[in-house]
Amino acid sequence: MALGDAILACLTERPMTGYELAKTFDASIGFFWKADHQQIYRELSRLRDKGHVQGREVVQTGKPNKLVYTLTAEGRAALKYWAARPSVPPSIKDDLLVRLYALDCVDVESLRTDLMARLEHHRDRYERYERLLNKRFPDGAAPPADLGKMLSLRLGMRHERVVVEWCEEALDALSAITGRRNVLSFDDNSGRESKG
């Protein structure tokens, strides 16, 4: 998948400015396809040159004019063509896993600190997904146009929960080496490290 495909997918919701697209990435597609704001603006220019999006200038009083992008018929066709191709399972590149692989040659306490940070990151993401899911789909159902969004959020939650549980497992295993107490489990309401 290329960034352009993700932008075309975003524009199926509604016309958006580059800023709105960047915000949409931050709050949805960005969970599984990372891009910074400058990359999005550069890609919008390329998509416009290809005829996949068109920009319409909107005059604003007291503010700079804004450019609102809309998906063109060619853009919809390109998105449909891309979506018909088989997906490629993602590959993992994770330096934390490489450090664990070489556990007998690394500083275990530093590794433990890194795992704690990773644990907090994934707990926070789980909670963010859960808030989004409850806000957007409070009854657990979605209209056909939003079904993919709901399913993606559910997968995101499951992924984050599994990573949290794995971090807890890894920290438990390292506790025998460091002599430090374990973290509280994901199901514990406090969700924070035990003291002692």
Side-chain angles (χ1 to χ4, degrees):
M1 178 168 116
L3 175 57
D5 301 314
I7 290 173
L8 295 177
C10 279
L11 288 174
T12 62
E13 276 193 55
R14 62 182 167 80
M16 292 186 226
T17 64
Y19 176 78
E20 290 167 332
L21 271 166
K23 287 297 182 189
T24 299
F25 261 76
D26 290 345
S28 62
I29 285 191
F31 294 143
F32 43 88
W33 192 265
K34 290 288 178 209
D36 65 40
H37 293 203
Q38 291 306 314
Q39 289 173 305
I40 291 169
Y41 283 105
R42 282 192 302 271
E43 191 59 33
L44 276 169
S45 292
R46 283 194 276 276
L47 290 170
R48 198 165 140 187
D49 292 345
K50 288 180 179 179
H52 292 175
V53 299
Q54 62 185 15
R56 178 178 51 88
E57 189 172 26
V58 175
V59 178
Q60 302 186 104
T61 307
K63 298 187 232 178
N65 294 345
K66 63 182 181 180
L67 199 55
V68 178
Y69 293 93
T70 306
L71 196 58
T72 64
E74 293 85 357
R76 283 190 186 280
L79 181 61
K80 193 171 186 174
Y81 173 78
W82 166 78
R85 294 175 24 216
S87 63
V88 177
S91 60
I92 297 175
K93 289 183 180 179
D94 192 330
D95 60 342
L96 178 62
L97 297 179
V98 175
R99 285 183 232 157
L100 278 171
Y101 187 82
L103 185 59
D104 61 333
C105 297
V106 300
D107 179 55
V108 174
E109 202 50 47
S110 295
L111 187 58
R112 188 178 186 287
T113 300
D114 197 12
L115 272 164
M116 285 300 301
R118 185 75 64 100
L119 174 64
E120 289 305 311
H121 169 80
H122 289 285
R123 280 180 174 164
D124 290 344
R125 281 181 63 119
Y126 177 88
E127 290 167 5
R128 187 173 180 194
Y129 287 151
E130 186 174 42
R131 281 192 306 273
L132 282 168
L133 188 67
N134 291 335
K135 180 180 177 182
R136 192 144 186 201
F137 308 105
D139 60 357
D146 289 336
L147 181 61
K149 294 170 184 73
M150 185 180 73
L151 291 171
S152 295
L153 280 169
R154 286 182 177 167
L155 176 61
M157 285 178 65
R158 287 181 183 135
H159 171 78
E160 298 305 327
R161 183 179 183 94
V162 166
V163 175
V164 164
E165 291 168 352
W166 175 85
C167 286
E168 292 168 349
E169 177 187 349
L171 285 161
D172 281 345
L174 291 179
S175 69
I177 298 170
T178 63
R180 299 210 31 204
R181 291 188 58 196
N182 301 331
V183 296
L184 296 176
S185 75
F186 184 77
D187 295 320
D188 184 344
N189 288 336
S190 68
R192 301 298 177 247
E193 185 176 6
S194 299
K195 302 296 181 196

